[in-house]
Amino acid sequence: MSATIDLPQVTDCTATSCAYNHDGCHAFAVTIDTTANCGTFLSLNEKGGLNVVAQVGACQRTDCTHNQALECRAPSITVGAGQSTAGCLSYQAA
């Protein structure tokens, strides 16, 4: 038996070079990696994703106050553009 939970949404993303970002993040779910970067960031000219608002599927940043059992429990997150990637701006050290 499995339980479902409400996953936090990506309410804003300024990584305009990401293929999933076109008027917001349209990946089904993003992963935040061990350095608090968006592991789903993909730099392509082609735009992709679904007609949904992205959710945080997993968080590998174990020292974040929002991380519980490798899942993000923040109400929502924002993602910001970096030089060659994007980072979770909602990260807060525990």
Side-chain angles (χ1 to χ4, degrees):
M1 176 180 275
S2 66
T4 60
I5 60 170
D6 291 325
L7 300 174
Q9 291 186 332
V10 178
T11 57
D12 188 39
C13 178
T14 60
T16 56
S17 64
C18 182
Y20 290 109
N21 188 356
H22 41 99
D23 296 323
C25 182
H26 291 280
F28 180 73
V30 300
T31 296
I32 303 302
D33 69 17
T34 58
T35 59
N37 284 323
C38 179
T40 311
F41 176 87
L42 182 61
S43 183
L44 293 174
N45 290 331
E46 184 176 339
K47 295 296 184 182
L50 305 170
N51 191 21
V52 297
V53 175
Q55 305 172 88
V56 182
C59 179
Q60 300 170 2
R61 188 68 194 239
T62 58
D63 66 339
C64 181
T65 191
H66 301 297
N67 189 322
Q68 294 178 11
L70 301 178
E71 300 291 337
C72 181
R73 297 292 189 251
S76 63
I77 71 162
T78 59
V79 176
Q83 278 189 321
S84 61
T85 188
C88 178
L89 300 180
S90 301
Y91 165 76
Q92 293 178 3

